[in-house]
Amino acid sequence: MVICFIGDSLVNGVHDPEARGWVGRLVSDIHGGDEMLLAAYNLGIRRDTSADILARWQDEVESRLFDDEPMRLVFSFGAADMRSVTGGESRLTMEEAVSNARALLTAANAKYPVLMIGPPPTADPAFTRRLTTLDQHYAAICDELVIPYLSIIADLQNSEIYLEELVNGDGVHPGAAGYAHIFRLVNAWPAWRFWFDSPVQVA
Amino acid sequence: MVICFIGDSLVNGVHDPEARGWVGRLVSDIHGGDEMLLAAYNLGIRRDTSADILARWQDEVESRLFDDEPMRLVFSFGAADMRSVTGGESRLTMEEAVSNARALLTAANAKYPVLMIGPPPTADPAFTRRLTTLDQHYAAICDELVIPYLSIIADLQNSEIYLEELVNGDGVHPGAAGYAHIFRLVNAWPAWRFWFDSPVQVA
């Protein structure tokens, strides 16, 4: 099985002193658990907006197709879209962000099994409010497209260690414990487990 | 500083139960050592030959440029080129492999600082002999282009744990200890250290 994790710096694992992020922790858990040979590609890019991802995801995924092994995609983005900029509220408007996400997820879902994970919170309340609204839009789009969606923003807002790492960092990226928290949320998600537990997928 | 690690499955870290490979270990060592903010991208793809890499490296690097931060590239490939195939000695001929490497390194070196790391050995003596020849060609090309080149094949052939992990694995990829061995070789390499120790680079 081949899995591409596509998104922004939070997919890449920026600021994790272990340089693993939640993606590295997920993949090592699969490797350790049942020795399944999983080819995993981390395609998270710092400051990538939905527009950037829309422009590159298809070429990068096609370069990673491997014989006849099934390809699966996990998307997670949004923070770069909603980031504050001078002279405007955020880099993209909410409408642009939602429109890009819809185009991206529709195209990806037509070709591959897709999972989508929402954005985590930040240390900036206004930024996080925009992300909460975006999170709700993502949930609605995924519901419509029948793509499993995992919202993590509320859970992480209740995590003392996550918020502490945000404040001690750059306000957007957590440290090792915060990434481990996201890892645990994804790893316990039935839609993720289904890729590995279902007899059809393992065959 | 942004660094792209571009190559094959040995760059990706395939079969490492920790899902870090030598690249993940290098990056976490930099993060832990001096808290330098390093954006690192692992662009290793399973079974990618020099021809595959030649076709994709430029687009993938350009998508990862970040404002005015300096971009640096580390290449490592060759095993997929020299892999045995039915009906032929290897997937690419030695001439094709050398010609692709020259084209790739010439183009990359014209745009970015480049380091090149040679292929490790395999459990198959004929395969490893071809890689040893390729390693010598790579050294000559890099010498001509003034690209620092690190040959690791002889050192790893003397590593009991590396050879043991090859035999216990698929004959091409080591496990955690073997990847840690490659990490130590690269981490001690003056050309790699120079990117972090030079006052010009840190400024």
Side-chain angles (χ1 to χ4, degrees):
Chain A
M1 190 191 304
V2 185
I3 303 184
C4 288
F5 296 88
I6 305 167
D8 54 22
S9 56
L10 289 146
V11 170
N12 176 272
V14 164
H15 284 192
D16 180 4
E18 299 178 25
R20 296 163 73 214
W22 59 267
V23 172
R25 287 171 173 79
L26 264 186
V27 176
S28 67
D29 189 76
I30 296 293
H31 284 184
D34 47 13
E35 301 192 24
M36 171 179 290
L37 184 59
L38 171 66
Y41 297 108
N42 188 322
L43 300 173
I45 299 187
R46 249 167 105 190
R47 293 209 194 158
D48 247 29
T49 65
S50 54
D52 298 320
I53 296 167
L54 188 56
R56 72 175 166 91
W57 78 272
Q58 194 151 353
D59 283 346
E60 295 196 351
V61 167
E62 283 173 8
S63 295
R64 285 157 179 82
L65 290 169
F66 186 70
D67 297 348
D68 52 357
E69 285 189 34
M71 168 65 80
R72 284 142 209 272
L73 311 182
V74 180
F75 286 96
S76 186
F77 52 85
D81 291 27
M82 292 295 111
R83 193 161 155 262
S84 302
V85 285
T86 47
E89 196 186 47
S90 56
R91 280 177 75 196
L92 300 188
T93 65
M94 190 64 69
E95 275 182 7
E96 288 167 333
V98 168
S99 159
N100 289 339
R102 184 186 300 278
L104 180 51
L105 292 168
T106 302
N109 198 39
K111 291 194 147 189
Y112 309 102
V114 170
L115 299 180
M116 170 82 175
I117 297 165
T122 72
D124 170 354
F127 190 172
T128 301
R129 273 196 298 278
R130 292 194 296 274
L131 289 172
T132 300
T133 304
L134 187 59
D135 181 64
Q136 289 158 358
H137 284 294
Y138 286 161
I141 293 167
C142 287
D143 187 52
E144 188 186 310
L145 297 173
V146 198
I147 291 172
Y149 182 71
L150 181 66
S151 173
I152 59 177
I153 196 162
D155 188 293
L156 294 171
Q157 279 180 295
N158 290 320
S159 161
E160 272 183 46
I161 181 75
Y162 197 92
L163 301 178
E164 195 181 299
E165 286 188 338
L166 284 181
V167 172
N168 292 337
D170 65 358
V172 175
H173 304 96
Y179 280 115
H181 192 128
I182 298 179
F183 150 68
R184 286 189 299 273
L185 294 176
V186 179
N187 204 40
W189 186 23
W192 167 257
R193 300 292 348 156
F194 180 75
W195 281 359
F196 305 99
D197 297 339
S198 152
V200 177
Q201 318 295 356
V202 176
Chain B
M1 190 192 304
V2 185
I3 303 183
C4 289
F5 295 87
I6 306 167
D8 54 22
S9 55
L10 289 146
V11 170
N12 177 272
V14 164
H15 283 194
D16 179 4
E18 299 178 25
R20 298 165 71 212
W22 60 267
V23 172
R25 287 172 174 79
L26 265 185
V27 176
S28 65
D29 189 76
I30 296 294
H31 284 184
D34 49 13
E35 300 190 28
M36 171 180 289
L37 184 60
L38 172 66
Y41 298 107
N42 188 324
L43 300 174
I45 299 187
R46 249 167 107 190
R47 293 214 192 153
D48 247 29
T49 64
S50 54
D52 298 321
I53 296 167
L54 188 56
R56 72 176 166 91
W57 79 271
Q58 193 150 353
D59 283 346
E60 295 196 350
V61 168
E62 284 173 8
S63 295
R64 286 157 179 83
L65 289 170
F66 185 71
D67 298 347
D68 52 358
E69 284 190 33
M71 169 65 80
R72 284 141 208 273
L73 311 182
V74 179
F75 285 96
S76 187
F77 51 86
D81 291 28
M82 293 294 110
R83 190 161 156 263
S84 302
V85 284
T86 46
E89 197 187 44
S90 56
R91 281 178 75 194
L92 298 189
T93 65
M94 190 64 68
E95 274 182 6
E96 290 167 334
V98 168
S99 159
N100 288 340
R102 185 187 299 277
L104 179 51
L105 292 169
T106 302
N109 197 40
K111 291 195 146 188
Y112 309 101
V114 169
L115 299 179
M116 169 82 175
I117 296 165
T122 72
D124 170 353
F127 190 173
T128 301
R129 273 196 298 278
R130 293 194 295 275
L131 289 173
T132 300
T133 303
L134 187 59
D135 181 64
Q136 290 159 358
H137 284 294
Y138 286 161
I141 294 168
C142 287
D143 186 53
E144 189 187 307
L145 298 173
V146 198
I147 292 172
Y149 182 71
L150 181 67
S151 172
I152 60 177
I153 196 164
D155 189 294
L156 294 171
Q157 278 181 294
N158 290 320
S159 161
E160 271 182 47
I161 181 76
Y162 197 91
L163 301 178
E164 194 181 299
E165 286 187 339
L166 284 182
V167 172
N168 293 339
D170 65 359
V172 175
H173 303 97
Y179 279 116
H181 193 128
I182 298 178
F183 150 68
R184 287 190 298 272
L185 295 176
V186 179
N187 205 39
W189 186 25
W192 167 256
R193 300 293 347 158
F194 180 76
W195 281 359
F196 305 98
D197 296 341
S198 150
V200 178
Q201 319 295 356
V202 177

